[in-house]
Amino acid sequence: MTYIGARFLQTDFQVHSPRDRNWEGARPEDTLTDVTNENVNSVRADWARDFINTCIDRGIQAVAFTDHHEGIYQWHVIDRVKESKDTDTPIDLWVFPAMELTTMDSAQAIIIFDADITRQLFEKARNILSLPADCNSLAKQGIAVELLKYNIADLQGRLQADDELKDRFIILPNVTPKGHKTVLRQGFHKRFHDMPYVGGYLDKCYPDDLDAGDKRILEGEIPAWTSEKRGVICTSDSRNADYDRLGSYSTWIKLAEPTAESIRQAMLAADSRIRYEEPDEPDSFIKSVAIEGGEFLSVENLRLSPQLNSVIGGRGAGKSTLLEYIRFALGRSAIDLESSDWDPTYERRKTLIEQSLDSETGKIRVEVSLNDAVMCFERKRASLNQIKLKIGDTERVHSPSEVRDLLHLQTYSQGELSHLGRESAEKRLLELITDPKRETFDRMSEELNQLANDLIRQLNCQQELWTHERRLRQHDAEIEMTLARIASLKQAMDEAPEQAQAILEKQTEYSKTDRFLDQLSEAVSHSSGTIATAIDSSLTSLQEKIDFGEGITLTDGQSAHVAAIEATQQLSELRATALNYLTNLSQTLDQIVGEWKPKKQSHDEEYKTIMQRVSGKKEKADLVLRLEAELEQHQNEREDTLTAIASLTGSIKIFEQKAESYRQLQLDKINLTAESLSAIEEYSGGLARAELAQTVDLSAINEAIDILCEKANIRTGKDELVAQIQKNESPLLEWWAIIGETIKLLRWKDTQSEADKDLPHTQKLQ
């Protein structure tokens, strides 16, 4: 196994071989008719390969064979793993030699040795414990289990006294409540208290399955038993031919190397190194670093752990240099970013890059894993504005700012970290805490910006709507006044001859018909363009998706692909049909208008002549003509205003919907921040806690209220309004309620008529 640093491994540290006397199912030796050493080793080697494959299939990365008082089969498995190390496919499995012991005081324990311990040293340990030397290794079953001559507390001292075995084993007693020969039983508290062991194992159960009292014992909360917390691992006690229990009670243990000492360290730091559910590994981490041309530091290929990495060394050893070089490769060094009050080391770090990295040969290469995709970033001192990014066989050159956009990282110098505890550092500390969910936060911020722009557009549409509503009332008033004046003027004129009177009476109908035909023709022309554009846009978008789906082979995708093709064909036919209808209508209208215009022109000439001649009232007749022309203009403008109102009316509903989405997204962002904060306690093992303050940064709201008061010429009440928002249980919702009332007042101001002078009722804005 290629392994760097400590990481969580899925383990099962109580696995029995087919020699176990309680083995369930067939044993490999059952197939043998000639029991020879060669034949037995052959079938056991086959079983070992099958066992290894089963472990790999189930994700098990470390196992311990705990046959009772012996260890025959384990060496077959260990040999198979060793044989694979020099091949192209080394086996990724740690196998710990181990055994299960039953002591004189009727207690059980498992003893686990270093993975590389020799068979001779393993047998030496058995000899020290006075176990039978002859295990009858060719037999199907192992030796009969008998009580050791020693109590469980004595095992540690006997083995630790041997110089070859010292610190190369760990003993874990059975701490299963009510379990077989457990040390967690009535009357055993004194011996439990005095045992020199830092942990124990549970047989086929989890800590959450224990009752409160047993949990408190293992947590070190009952002094009569112990005042020290014990690390606890869960095991499967697997012992059947179909492996149905193998890995069923797995424990994930953070181990640095396949040694008993590494297991012991995990027991001593159980809160951070032992998990009973698979831990979430980092989505992104640095795999390796290579440095060329560094005056103080050159590294050929430094491999890093996906978990915690510590750089240790004396003053001037190159710790800060290494970190700054990594930042340099990722476009985040001091020469890439501006200085800030947070960073007292900025100038020194900038000088470090400029002076310690050779201007011609200096080069940093950093491999980053993002969701298992490996990306290699390479930057040369000679070309500061270029960072080469290699993904697979593809290479591209990016600027440092583009790389910063690609990788969402938080980087800190030693000086910056020392500022995080200060009261003024809340914002930077929040960035550190929320960074694991940076992509989600960035997406939310992008959506909020988009929604904010949409809200501004819809609010502008509403203001335009209010203007048109005010104009509509003006048009109605102008039309009424003009009609009244025309009626009055006509009444004042002498009675016209019967023929002339007929022409006068037809004037209104002719004007209305002419306006109707013009508007209908314009609507048909506009509809044709709108329908064609809308359908063409939809067809283009659908066709792009259809082209993308050409290579899809799964049934669901193919079904959707066929349905989309049929829909586009139907949409194309619908486009042609709709445009054909409108074309026919347009042609019909052209014919009607062609016949209408001469009639209208003839009527207009007759009407004008009559009006000029009627009773010699030429001055009044001319005024009537002008008023009727104005009337027609007012009516046309009214129709245009109604059309505009119809197109803008939906903005009110859209604004409300987008405002609700904006509010909800703000609350979601707050909740996500709270979740990130709550994770701090878990990540730190309870050493740190963080809570999201219920107060809200009102700087932007204060600015908005200042502008609002200034434009409205309001001199008092601003501070009370801010306090009203701040003290509310949900300041954001309170602010949105005030926005709603403000919009209501703006609409009243923009659309106010003489008959509507009373202010609308507002609960928040008194």
Side-chain angles (χ1 to χ4, degrees):
M1 175 188 291
T2 301
Y3 198 76
I4 305 296
R7 59 177 296 187
F8 280 104
L9 300 179
Q10 182 181 357
T11 69
D12 191 343
F13 282 166
Q14 191 188 16
V15 175
H16 296 274
S17 80
R19 272 176 60 87
D20 184 271
R21 285 180 168 266
N22 293 316
W23 182 260
E24 300 171 8
R27 293 178 167 89
E29 297 86 355
D30 290 344
T31 61
L32 296 178
T33 56
D34 185 12
V35 181
T36 65
N37 190 63
E38 181 180 358
N39 290 341
V40 169
N41 287 335
S42 176
V43 294
R44 288 176 179 176
D46 290 341
W47 181 89
R49 294 186 185 92
D50 186 52
F51 174 82
I52 290 170
N53 291 334
T54 303
C55 288
I56 293 173
D57 290 343
R58 298 187 184 182
I60 300 172
Q61 298 158 294
V63 295
F65 277 92
T66 53
D67 283 340
H68 292 276
H69 299 193
E70 64 160 67
I72 301 298
Y73 259 84
Q74 62 190 10
W75 304 109
H76 292 281
V77 179
I78 291 171
D79 288 344
R80 301 292 82 74
V81 173
K82 286 181 178 178
E83 290 168 2
S84 74
K85 287 186 177 180
D86 297 327
T87 68
D88 294 334
T89 56
I91 295 171
D92 188 9
L93 181 67
W94 287 354
V95 183
F96 291 88
M99 66 181 99
E100 186 172 353
L101 305 172
T102 306
T103 60
M104 187 170 62
D105 50 354
S106 193
Q108 280 190 339
I110 55 177
I111 177 170
I112 302 175
F113 297 89
D114 290 353
D116 63 351
I117 197 172
T118 63
R119 189 165 186 172
Q120 290 74 20
L121 199 53
F122 181 84
E123 290 300 324
K124 183 178 184 179
R126 295 185 69 254
N127 182 56
I128 291 173
L129 297 175
S130 302
L131 295 173
D134 184 11
C135 294
N136 193 8
S137 61
L138 294 183
K140 294 181 183 180
Q141 294 186 11
I143 59 176
V145 177
E146 297 181 359
L147 296 181
L148 295 181
K149 298 178 180 179
Y150 315 104
N151 289 333
I152 191 168
D154 301 329
L155 301 182
Q156 178 75 23
R158 294 192 63 80
L159 294 175
Q160 189 71 1
D162 185 88
D163 290 340
E164 289 184 296
L165 289 170
K166 183 178 181 180
D167 299 331
R168 301 200 65 184
F169 66 93
I170 184 171
I171 297 173
L172 301 175
N174 183 350
V175 294
T176 311
K178 303 179 180 64
H180 180 61
K181 298 180 180 178
T182 178
V183 298
L184 205 66
R185 64 181 188 259
Q186 188 174 3
F188 214 88
H189 59 278
K190 176 96 171 47
R191 276 176 285 183
F192 187 94
H193 184 281
D194 296 337
M195 284 192 304
Y197 308 126
V198 295
Y201 75 93
L202 292 174
D203 193 348
K204 301 188 292 297
C205 67
Y206 287 114
D208 285 346
D209 299 332
L210 308 185
D211 61 34
D214 293 328
K215 285 182 183 178
R216 291 183 63 206
I217 292 175
L218 296 179
E219 290 289 332
E221 297 176 358
I222 301 181
W225 284 83
T226 180
S227 298
E228 298 178 356
K229 180 173 182 176
R230 304 295 174 100
V232 175
I233 62 171
C234 304
T235 63
S236 70
D237 196 25
S238 173
R239 59 177 83 222
N240 47 0
D242 57 6
Y243 313 113
D244 67 341
R245 287 208 307 266
L246 181 64
S248 59
Y249 288 89
S250 286
T251 302
W252 281 262
I253 308 177
K254 196 171 190 179
L255 301 173
E257 53 188 355
T259 62
E261 177 60 24
S262 188
I263 298 173
R264 192 179 78 86
Q265 292 299 323
M267 294 294 164
L268 292 171
D271 288 338
S272 61
R273 287 177 172 259
I274 296 178
R275 296 284 185 274
Y276 306 107
E277 293 181 353
E278 185 173 6
D280 292 330
E281 290 201 352
D283 293 329
S284 58
F285 60 92
I286 296 175
K287 287 176 67 71
S288 66
V289 180
I291 302 169
E292 296 181 23
E295 183 177 354
F296 307 113
L297 183 65
S298 290
V299 176
E300 183 175 347
N301 189 31
L302 176 63
R303 301 287 303 280
L304 299 179
S305 167
Q307 310 236 356
L308 175 68
N309 293 278
S310 298
V311 183
I312 303 172
R315 185 177 180 86
K319 303 184 297 295
S320 298
T321 302
L322 173 62
L323 296 179
E324 191 63 20
Y325 282 174
I326 293 174
R327 283 193 285 261
F328 174 75
L330 302 178
R332 293 178 176 273
S333 68
I335 65 172
D336 301 304
L337 304 174
E338 295 182 358
S339 180
S340 70
D341 295 337
W342 306 100
D343 186 9
T345 65
Y346 176 80
E347 291 298 334
R348 181 172 62 82
R349 292 191 296 110
K350 186 175 181 181
T351 303
L352 176 68
I353 293 292
E354 294 171 342
Q355 295 184 0
S356 72
L357 203 57
D358 189 275
S359 59
E360 294 183 2
T361 63
K363 180 172 67 176
I364 314 295
R365 187 182 71 252
V366 173
E367 275 190 331
V368 176
S369 176
L370 290 177
N371 302 110
D372 296 329
V374 178
M375 305 179 181
C376 182
F377 296 86
E378 182 177 287
R379 190 179 187 185
K380 297 180 179 179
R381 174 70 173 84
S383 50
L384 291 178
N385 294 325
Q386 294 183 345
I387 299 177
K388 183 170 68 175
L389 170 59
K390 183 177 181 181
I391 304 175
D393 297 328
T394 304
E395 287 188 4
R396 286 190 174 87
V397 175
H398 296 273
S399 68
S401 62
E402 289 173 337
V403 170
R404 290 195 294 272
D405 290 337
L406 287 172
L407 288 177
H408 299 283
L409 303 175
Q410 286 284 328
T411 59
Y412 296 87
S413 69
Q414 185 177 11
E416 284 180 297
L417 285 173
S418 66
H419 285 69
L420 287 178
R422 299 183 181 179
E423 184 178 353
S424 58
E426 294 96 336
K427 183 176 183 296
R428 195 67 189 268
L429 185 58
L430 183 62
E431 291 174 357
L432 173 66
I433 292 169
T434 58
D435 190 64
K437 297 183 179 179
R438 175 54 46 201
E439 291 187 8
T440 304
F441 277 106
D442 287 347
R443 176 183 56 77
M444 285 183 165
S445 297
E446 186 176 342
E447 290 181 17
L448 283 171
N449 288 334
Q450 181 62 48
L451 283 170
N453 292 331
D454 290 343
L455 286 170
I456 291 171
R457 283 194 293 270
Q458 295 305 322
L459 189 55
N460 288 335
C461 288
Q462 286 195 59
Q463 289 182 298
E464 188 178 350
L465 173 63
W466 302 336
T467 300
H468 285 302
E469 288 176 342
R470 186 175 66 249
R471 287 176 181 170
L472 182 63
R473 286 204 300 270
Q474 292 173 344
H475 292 322
D476 288 340
E478 288 168 345
I479 289 171
E480 290 176 4
M481 290 174 61
T482 304
L483 284 172
R485 292 178 67 189
I486 291 172
S488 178
L489 286 168
K490 287 183 177 181
Q491 187 176 0
M493 291 190 297
D494 295 337
E495 290 292 329
E498 185 176 341
Q499 182 182 4
Q501 188 64 40
I503 293 174
L504 289 173
E505 291 173 355
K506 290 181 180 180
Q507 172 62 14
T508 301
E509 192 62 32
Y510 266 81
S511 297
K512 184 177 180 180
T513 301
D514 190 60
R515 188 167 62 255
F516 166 70
L517 291 174
D518 285 344
Q519 291 177 349
L520 184 58
S521 297
E522 182 181 349
V524 170
S525 176
H526 177 73
S527 296
S528 297
T530 301
I531 290 174
T533 301
I535 295 180
D536 287 345
S537 175
S538 297
L539 286 171
T540 300
S541 177
L542 282 171
Q543 191 59 50
E544 290 176 355
K545 304 303 182 292
I546 290 171
D547 293 342
F548 176 77
E550 287 292 345
I552 290 177
T553 58
L554 295 180
T555 303
D556 293 343
Q558 289 178 335
S559 299
H561 189 254
V562 171
I565 292 174
E566 293 176 355
T568 55
Q569 293 172 345
Q570 294 170 353
L571 198 56
S572 297
E573 294 171 0
L574 178 62
R575 178 188 187 279
T577 301
L579 293 180
N580 186 51
Y581 285 145
L582 291 172
T583 299
N584 292 339
L585 177 57
S586 180
Q587 291 173 352
T588 300
L589 287 174
D590 288 344
Q591 181 179 351
I592 292 173
V593 170
E595 296 173 355
W596 162 256
K597 288 299 181 183
K599 296 178 184 178
K600 176 67 165 57
Q601 184 177 0
S602 175
H603 169 80
D604 288 345
E605 291 174 355
E606 286 186 275
Y607 179 76
K608 185 176 181 180
T609 301
I610 290 296
M611 292 301 295
Q612 289 173 346
R613 293 178 181 176
V614 116
S615 301
K617 306 280 186 177
K618 187 175 185 307
E619 183 178 340
K620 289 186 178 181
D622 289 341
L623 181 55
V624 169
L625 289 175
R626 290 198 301 273
L627 288 174
E628 287 181 336
E630 290 178 12
L631 176 64
E632 184 173 2
Q633 181 180 351
H634 291 323
Q635 290 171 331
N636 288 336
E637 289 174 350
R638 185 181 189 277
E639 292 294 333
D640 292 341
T641 301
L642 284 173
T643 301
I645 289 174
S647 66
L648 294 169
T649 300
S651 65
I652 300 174
K653 187 67 175 176
I654 295 173
F655 181 87
E656 291 174 352
Q657 291 172 344
K658 291 189 176 293
E660 177 58 31
S661 297
Y662 193 96
R663 288 192 294 270
Q664 187 58 51
L665 196 56
Q666 283 182 308
L667 295 175
D668 290 345
K669 194 172 182 181
I670 291 173
N671 292 335
L672 186 61
T673 304
E675 290 176 11
S676 299
L677 292 175
S678 65
I680 290 297
E681 183 174 357
E682 177 185 351
Y683 295 157
S684 67
L687 297 177
R689 289 184 180 180
E691 293 182 2
L692 186 64
Q694 296 303 308
T695 56
V696 175
D697 181 2
L698 296 181
S699 56
I701 292 178
N702 270 322
E703 183 180 352
I705 292 176
D706 285 339
I707 295 172
L708 181 65
C709 291
E710 181 182 350
K711 290 187 176 296
N713 198 26
I714 297 173
R715 304 299 180 193
T716 61
K718 181 178 80 70
D719 294 339
E720 290 81 354
L721 185 60
V722 173
Q724 174 183 328
I725 296 170
Q726 183 69 69
K727 71 182 182 181
N728 193 278
E729 291 183 2
S730 180
L732 285 176
L733 295 181
E734 179 74 3
W735 172 238
W736 274 101
I738 291 171
I739 290 176
E741 292 189 354
T742 303
I743 293 174
K744 187 188 295 186
L745 291 172
L746 285 173
R747 183 181 186 280
W748 172 83
K749 181 177 180 296
D750 277 1
T751 62
Q752 179 187 359
S753 67
E754 290 298 320
D756 186 22
K757 291 184 178 180
D758 294 335
L759 279 168
H761 174 70
T762 54
Q763 183 178 354
K764 308 293 182 182
L765 299 173
Q766 298 295 337

